[in-house]
Amino acid sequence: MNGGLLVAGTTSDAGKSVVTAGICRWLVRQGVKVAPFKAQNMSLNSFVTREGAEIGRAQAMQAQACRIEPTALMNPVLLKPGGEQSSQVVLLGRPVGEMSARGYHGGGQQRLLSTVLDCLAELRGTYDAVICEGAGSPAEINLRRTDIVNMGIARNARLPVLVVGDIDRGGVFASFFGTVALLSPEDQELIAGFLVNKFRGDVSLLEPGLEMLHGLTGRRAYGVLPFRHGLGIDEEDGLRVSLRGTVRESTVAPPVGADVLRVAVCAIPLMSNFTDVDALAAEPGVVVRFVDRPEELADADLAVVPGTRGTVRALQWLRERGLADALVRRAAEGRPVLGICGGFQILGEHIEDEVESRAGAVDGLGVLPVRVRFAREKTLTRPVGEALGEPVEGYEIHHGVAEVTGGDGFISDDKGHSLDGCRVGQTWGTHWHGSLESDGFRRAFLREVAAAAGRRFVPAPDTSFAALREEQLDRLGDLIEQHADTDALWRLIESGAPQGLPFIPPGAPA
């Protein structure tokens, strides 16, 4: 078998990442050797592979769904927005420069097509099946000429395309029909059919519409996935996070001790890897919220300043909002504060940045004795160490180089030598993303936070973040197995799009 499939969507956030992960987990449970692929990803949530390459976190989680190690081949092009007009371009896991949106879509993108196709071909030569994820919508007619992630890659690699629509938003039939009708005849030949996502209610009420859609387009529905709480895998875009929403839709489990622990995450601009706090939200009795006002920090037991693609810009935003003063007061009062990566840099005394913002010398919040200089070479590592008497591992993605001039070390090696971070009283800082996924360390950290906050909170002794992740991926596989036509899906992956699919006018504009 040398199969493949492109999972496209009627819109961004239609559920492409979740469906791709679900199909991957379903296939691997059938004994299929499968890999994920996304040619081009725009995301501030990224991950470091074991070979030191930076890729989107969604593709890393999809690799986990496949029960394989993620590699740069699975996400050859990663765009990390640095503002409204430009992004850092990461090619095969390494940053190669900044580019404006106009420059990228004006020719820069198309030059990457051969690299993207080579990566896909290598994966297809290694695995039985490769499940590809598109981006946005394949019917973005203004970008079709330079597209390398939707129909551009489908046409070049002859991949059948499954279009996912989020019915919870409304208008899913019009979205399905319009997506097909705005594509060229050559592109339409590869649109095999549709998958309805997030349906609530009686499926029998939906079936007449699906039959009419089949009649109108000649393309069938491959399944209707019901709405389920708490099934999102790591998000691609931290800019879309709900400022006052919980991290996950799932119900917070009751606390083991007498009190809950309240965590407030500052929703700074260009927030990156906000998934760091997912491990906190997975703990029974821990309530995590994103905040953007100083009064929302007042009753929090722990304030978190997360990573960011724009450290200096985030620092300015914190000052403008009054959050900077609130964080400084918390630190002075001995109330817990945690800074991660860019948040760690913000808590320091001084920042010298001629790389990211080119702002030069900037004063930090001054609550940690740390001086940061931005280097042109990006640090991309997967370190391991020890903190609070527990093993801890994580990953580093940053240009800032920290010089710690005082305080206590945070993360050390097995000989007690400092590896990363700094602690002063109840203020901690580290460059390590993902460290809170280490169960023993997370529990030890939360015990310290609870003691400092005066809360009778007790971490659950048996919460395993890795096991919860596996459970989540299995639930995604169950959705595909139980609510999609898996026999038809298998034929699609193995044999490609059905022959003789009709053309739906008007097609792509000239």
Side-chain angles (χ1 to χ4, degrees):
M1 180 180 181
N2 183 16
L5 174 70
L6 176 69
V7 179
T10 56
T11 61
S12 294
D13 273 354
K16 297 183 293 292
S17 297
V18 167
V19 169
T20 299
I23 293 174
C24 286
R25 179 48 62 101
W26 162 66
L27 284 172
V28 81
R29 294 196 307 208
Q30 309 309 307
V32 178
K33 189 179 177 185
V34 60
F37 179 78
K38 185 161 186 173
Q40 170 204 298
N41 198 346
M42 177 171 281
S43 178
L44 288 170
N45 285 334
S46 57
F47 184 76
V48 178
T49 67
R50 294 212 178 275
E51 69 267 29
E54 185 180 8
I55 65 171
R57 272 197 69 97
Q59 279 59 65
M61 292 304 101
Q62 289 163 356
Q64 188 173 345
C66 298
R67 298 177 178 150
I68 58 176
E69 275 290 326
T71 73
L73 294 174
M74 297 169 187
N75 180 206
V77 181
L78 173 64
L79 305 178
K80 303 194 72 175
E84 297 295 328
Q85 299 294 328
S86 67
S87 294
Q88 183 181 64
V89 181
V90 179
L91 179 63
L92 292 175
R94 296 287 173 181
V96 294
E98 298 279 334
M99 189 173 289
S100 68
R102 180 176 292 276
Y104 187 69
H105 292 289
Q109 186 179 32
Q110 195 67 15
R111 289 193 294 272
L112 300 173
L113 180 60
S114 61
T115 299
V116 163
L117 290 172
D118 287 346
C119 291
L120 178 56
E122 186 170 342
L123 288 173
R124 295 187 80 178
T126 305
Y127 293 90
D128 299 330
V130 178
I131 308 303
C132 307
E133 180 187 342
S137 162
E140 291 169 349
I141 54 180
N142 55 317
L143 303 177
R144 176 61 186 91
R145 182 176 62 84
T146 57
D147 170 51
I148 66 170
V149 65
N150 289 307
M151 301 313 299
I153 190 121
R155 282 268 293 277
N156 276 279
R158 301 308 299 171
L159 293 170
V161 180
L162 183 69
V163 181
V164 178
D166 179 356
I167 197 170
D168 201 46
R169 295 182 174 199
V172 74
F173 292 119
S175 298
F176 281 145
F177 183 88
T179 297
V180 179
L182 279 176
L183 299 177
S184 69
E186 297 81 4
D187 285 350
Q188 286 194 25
E189 288 177 4
L190 297 172
I191 303 294
F194 313 107
L195 187 73
V196 177
N197 192 29
K198 294 187 181 179
F199 180 73
R200 306 172 192 247
D202 186 346
V203 176
S204 66
L205 299 176
L206 188 67
E207 287 170 352
L210 297 176
E211 291 171 6
M212 285 186 273
L213 183 67
H214 189 186
L216 288 165
T217 66
R219 291 158 175 88
R220 56 161 298 176
Y222 282 76
V224 178
L225 306 185
F227 186 94
R228 291 287 186 269
H229 284 288
L231 278 185
I233 65 171
D234 292 353
E235 305 290 345
E236 291 189 343
D237 192 350
L239 300 179
R240 290 198 204 110
V241 69
S242 170
L243 295 185
R244 293 179 183 82
T246 54
V247 177
R248 287 284 177 263
E249 295 172 310
S250 53
T251 303
V252 177
V256 175
D259 291 339
V260 298
L261 207 62
R262 294 165 294 185
V263 179
V265 184
C266 297
I268 56 180
L270 298 175
M271 185 168 25
S272 62
N273 289 68
F274 67 89
T275 48
D276 283 329
V277 298
D278 278 359
L280 295 179
E283 281 286 346
V286 175
V287 181
V288 180
R289 302 188 76 82
F290 291 92
V291 305
D292 61 351
R293 298 193 298 250
E295 54 269 27
E296 293 176 302
L297 287 182
D299 65 348
D301 302 308
L302 170 66
V304 178
V305 188
T308 173
R309 172 79 168 87
T311 300
V312 171
R313 176 177 168 183
L315 178 59
Q316 181 182 359
W317 181 89
L318 288 168
R319 286 179 168 139
E320 289 171 350
R321 294 281 179 130
L323 285 160
D325 289 340
L327 288 166
V328 171
R329 282 195 302 272
R330 283 187 67 95
E333 294 166 359
R335 302 179 65 203
V337 177
L338 172 64
I340 303 173
C341 200
F344 171 38
Q345 297 165 8
I346 284 169
L347 296 179
E349 297 171 339
H350 184 79
I351 299 169
E352 191 73 34
D353 180 12
E354 298 293 349
V355 176
E356 191 176 76
S357 67
R358 298 187 177 89
V362 178
D363 289 332
L365 297 188
V367 297
L368 289 177
V370 176
R371 301 178 69 83
V372 176
R373 176 185 56 81
F374 275 67
R376 298 203 175 274
E377 188 73 18
K378 182 184 280 192
T379 297
L380 295 168
T381 63
R382 288 272 294 274
V384 296
E386 182 179 289
L388 303 180
E390 298 286 347
V392 59
E393 58 184 276
Y395 54 99
E396 294 186 63
I397 307 170
H398 55 91
H399 285 279
V401 178
E403 177 191 1
V404 179
T405 60
D408 298 318
F410 190 8
I411 303 174
S412 61
D413 61 19
D414 56 5
K415 296 181 177 61
H417 301 133
S418 180
L419 292 177
D420 179 77
C422 180
R423 174 182 181 177
V424 174
Q426 296 302 320
T427 301
W428 296 266
T430 176
H431 272 130
W432 290 21
H433 295 291
S435 61
L436 293 167
E437 295 178 19
S438 298
D439 297 327
F441 165 68
R442 182 181 64 253
R443 293 183 196 118
F445 176 70
L446 289 175
R447 280 193 290 269
E448 292 233 4
V449 169
R455 295 289 180 191
R456 294 172 298 166
F457 169 84
V458 179
D462 55 354
T463 301
S464 166
F465 188 77
L468 289 172
R469 175 74 71 190
E470 276 297 301
E471 179 185 316
Q472 186 182 47
L473 292 171
D474 273 332
R475 290 173 67 198
L476 292 177
D478 292 344
L479 276 183
I480 298 298
E481 192 167 328
Q482 295 167 11
H483 299 281
D485 185 339
T486 52
D487 289 340
L489 200 56
W490 181 275
R491 290 193 296 272
L492 193 62
I493 294 168
E494 192 173 35
S495 304
Q499 297 297 306
L501 293 169
F503 171 71
I504 308 302

